[in-house]
Amino acid sequence: QFLSFVQDDQVEELLFKAFSSPYLVVRMEAAYALASRKSEQVTGMIDSLMQKLPPYFHVYFPELFGMIGTPDAMGILKRMIGDRHLNVRLAAILAAARFGRDDFLAEIRAAATHTDQAEQETCAAALGYLKDSHSIPLLKTLSESSHLNVKLAACRSLESLGEHRYREPIMESALQKIPLAI
């Protein structure tokens, strides 16, 4: 972790050595540091590490690929949006939104129509973060959801897109002390 803050050419070489450590925590820290440096060689190494781990660990990797930002990393991130494990899909959608990847909007819009409420909520939030005005009709549909978190995420996104009448459901839920609304 300390090495990630040092601005020196030899640091990357040391981080690659750390990446070959037998300890997963050290490898993950090295992966994070190399990803934040946007090292060209790290995408394949991180993907290889991810494939060696059980699927429940894969939720930690979308952010790394988002940080790297290369076409190869974006290809892996796009693949993760379609992963069969829900938590991996959610992490990938949030990483795409966090790093402003509007080239993922088609996949996020498609995922927003899935039946899982967690996926709908995540996609609604991501569409708001990405300021996708083309998704306003979809977000309006989601704002009528029977699931409160989906409704609130959609309302928040609509409000951030200039649809200020969707502020009212958020305020009402906040008065009822609903954590997401607050």
Side-chain angles (χ1 to χ4, degrees), residues 106-177:
E107 289 83 4
I108 296 171
R109 286 184 201 128
T113 64
H114 294 173
T115 58
D116 187 87
Q117 70 182 27
E119 196 163 14
Q120 289 177 344
E121 176 189 350
T122 301
C123 290
L127 293 170
Y129 293 140
L130 293 170
K131 304 287 187 211
D132 182 30
S133 59
H134 296 292
S135 294
I136 289 176
L138 174 61
L139 289 168
K140 286 181 178 179
T141 302
L142 291 174
S143 73
E144 297 169 6
S145 174
S146 60
H147 303 288
L148 185 59
N149 287 352
V150 175
K151 178 180 181 172
L152 289 173
C155 287
R156 188 212 172 276
S157 291
L158 285 164
E159 203 276 328
S160 72
L161 289 167
E163 299 281 333
H164 298 297
R165 63 189 168 114
Y166 288 92
R167 187 178 295 166
E168 194 61 37
I170 298 171
M171 302 287 269
E172 290 171 9
S173 296
L175 291 172
Q176 295 173 9
K177 298 187 179 168

